[in-house]
Amino acid sequence: MTQRRARKQPSEAHDILNARGAARTDALEKANEDLKAAQAELQRRWQYLAEAQRLSHSGTFGWKVDSGELLWSDETYRILGFTRETNPTLDLVFDRIHPDDRERLRRLRDLATKDGMDLDDEHRLQMPDGVIKYVHVVAHAGSDSSGNREYIGVVSDITERKRAEDERQTLSRDLKESNARLEEAQRVAHVGHWEWDLETGEVIWSDETYRIFGLKPQERAMNLAMVRQMVHPEDREALYSGVDVEIDVGVHPVAEFRIVTPSGEVRTVHAITSKLWSAMPGDPDNKVSGKARRLFGTVQDITDRKRAEEERQVLYRELQESKASLDEGQRVAHVGSWVWDIEKNHVTYSDEYYRIFGLSREKGPIDIATVREMIHPEDRDYVFRTAEEAIRYGERAECEHRILRPNGEIRIVHSLGDLKKDESGRPYQMFGVSQDITDRKLAEQTLRRSQFYLSEGERLAHMGSWASRDLGIHWSEDLNIYWSDEVYKIYGLDPKNGTPNLEQYLATVHRLDRASMTETLKTMHEQRCGCDVTTRIVRPDGEIRYVRCVGIPVVEDGVFQGFHGTTMDVTEQELLTRELRREQAYLAEAQSFTHAGSWACNLLTREIFHSSDENARLYGFDPSQGPIPFNLYYNAILPEDERIIRGKLENAIHAGADYEVEFRVRRPDGTIGFLHGIGHHNPSQEVGEYFGITIDITDRKRAEEERERLRRLEADLAHINRVNMMGELAAALAHEIKQPIAASITSANALLRWLAHDPPDLERARAAAARIEQDGNRAAGVIDSLQSFYRTGTPVECHIVDVKEIIGEMTVLLRVEADRHSIKIHPELEADTPKTRANRVQLQQVFMNLMLNAIEAMKDTGGELTIRSCANPEGRLIVSISDTGIGLPAESTEQIFDPFHTTKPQGTGMGLTITRSIVESYGGRVWATANQVAGATFHLILPGETETHL
């Protein structure tokens, strides 16, 4: 019994699984049928989806959980890919399971072992040959006769079903895409489809049909009454009465009628009924009555086509009229036609052809021989050779040639000839036209000459022309731009490479100007406005040029056509302009710094042509208030000065000469200013026209007064300083005078001895006398220098002096004083030390002051006094006097040059002040620095002898 029950259970399970498989198969068949029905419903052009496989390959198995024993049917062996001789085990089964599903199945096996739950799972198998199978496993947990748990189940190969499901999904996706393409095709072609149920009056429209009738797609359900209402009233009765008759006789109705859309627009449509159904698929009765119950068709919007047909009819009428005007057109255009019968070698010519050749039809017809003779001899062979080659190769004949009219006039003709061929391709006729292009040729020659002149002018002016047909109309990559040859040259580009596109053009613009140029182009495009901009470009060789681009919009008959413009290389002008602006700025700044203003006016008419801002400020006026009239300037002059300069101005105008005046003005704030005016008259100018400068000399006037006062004070102080130094220099001067006197006495004794010889030695006596004279002059020179050094009121006379000589004199003069204090004097004077223009006595005073200060600083300790001289790179004289004394005071070194500043108990504090005053009066400079070890160094710099101090 147990065996029967065991046999019965797999049988029942097998029946159950077969039933389930059949149910799944039925469901799959139903899904495929629905898919095919849906596809047929949306598009009848597609084939019905192939019927899915109905057979389900299933095998049975048994699994004893405790022992792991497996029992398989033959189908199970086949599904799992094992032979019958194989002893089935769970390890073999898991080896077959796909790696990605294996772990999940192991967990499912463990749960089944533990809980004894039923199994229902789909997973993949990977066969030894790499083939992937899909299986569906269903098993029921039970117990065997021993009470041990066992599973009885069915494994089904559902690979084909899986593939069918994948195919169904693919077909569904393709069907949707096809439907979308169909809808798009209908929209583009303005063709919609419809269905009409004759019994219910229900009408089904596609989206495009709704659009054709002026409705939103699927806006509302349609019926016959609604459609009938939208048909034009004049077409309604004829349309529907005709359709009824055609349906009755089984004919597919075709109609063309007008409709009125909800917006009131009248449109013309063409409707075709392509299908008549007496019974529909899926009809429950599925009976054929013999009479159509449902219609399917298309409707196309042919409004544009109808309008085109009407236009073609109008064009046809116009063509007929134009044929009547052809002869007149040929006459006006100087175009004659001809037909050449190649087989008969006969040509028929139009009236205008006769006129072109200077002939008259009334004088008789012409033939090829006549035409040949009238062709210019130099062109004759070329013309007929062109015709023969066209016939030989089956091509169009085209040539330009000259003809000789009977009156001797030469005309230029352009001829075109097209071949007509028979069915075999053999040409039998040539139809052509000949146009008198003499006037055009002359115009072309004139145009070429003008273009040459224009091109040459562009080259000389560095100016090219350009045009754009897209800018302002259609934004494109190249903006459809034309460049003349000169524009290519300006940008350093090769015309053979073609006009650059927008990106390439902007790449030539300097990176700092690129954004503004891009904005300019966008503004021109959006606002259709002109431009006048100057930008920098970078040529391919790296050279930077300045380019001015001017563009103007072109409007013809009120219609915008694009832009024309010019491109100019303005590098030189731009650089000059920038230089001029820079110089003007420098001039204005210089005028502001120097308080000098420029002007130009006519002193007779009192018309001002130019007045700088600084000129207005000199008179106390605000230049920002606008132009200032002549009278305001002139009336600001003080009356007592105006009477003086009026006479000078009148004399200068009368003589056409320049003038120079100084005067005072009263400014609006009440202050008095001193001005110096210089006017220059060019003989080529009008009488009274002057240009010049006005300088504010108020500070200079006051400085001159102060300098004069200080000069007198300095002269007095210098005299006092020199007198104060006289006592200190007495011993040195006595030594200096004593030397030449002692030398003179020695030479005199020698002279007496040479004269006492018998006979007297006159040569040696004469040499001794010369030495006496030289020593006497030397002593006199020392006395003269001393007198001039201490004389007051002596005029300052400047000469080229050798600083090395003065330093040598002061070294000799101060040597005794230096030796008295154990001070060594070291002159280090370079041979190329430049000379300078100065007063010798004043320079003596400068060096004496500085050297005495150095000796004073070292009198308690002794030391070294070093004097150096050289030339700087600019050729100026540099002298430094260094000592190793007590050094400079702790406070600022600049204070030692201040008047009355002294560190000596008996000092006046004016020695260094006078020294600086003398040096600066020659355009020089004096300063002091502390030495690194000990002492201080005084430096002075003076102009070289070639410099002039202003």
Side-chain angles (χ1 to χ4, degrees), residues 65-79:
V65 177
D66 292 339
S67 64
E69 180 184 359
L70 293 177
L71 298 176
W72 287 353
S73 68
D74 291 342
E75 188 62 21
T76 302
Y77 278 98
R78 187 194 65 78
I79 291 172

Side-chain angles (χ1 to χ4, degrees), residues 433-504:
V433 294
S434 296
Q435 182 179 14
D436 185 346
I437 59 172
T438 307
D439 296 337
R440 191 186 79 188
K441 281 292 184 180
L442 294 175
E444 287 177 354
Q445 292 176 0
T446 303
L447 178 60
R448 281 195 295 270
R449 188 161 52 247
S450 299
Q451 288 177 337
F452 170 75
Y453 294 153
L454 175 61
S455 176
E456 193 66 12
E458 287 184 349
R459 184 185 65 81
L460 295 174
H462 301 294
M463 177 189 296
S465 58
W466 59 269
S468 173
R469 291 195 297 271
D470 283 356
L471 190 60
I473 299 175
H474 169 67
W475 188 266
S476 60
E477 180 60 26
D478 59 2
L479 295 179
N480 202 357
I481 288 180
Y482 156 80
W483 275 8
S484 69
D485 290 343
E486 188 60 27
V487 178
Y488 284 98
K489 293 177 183 176
I490 291 173
Y491 281 82
L493 301 177
D494 189 349
K496 295 179 181 178
N497 297 330
T499 308
N501 58 33
L502 184 59
E503 181 181 357
Q504 293 168 338

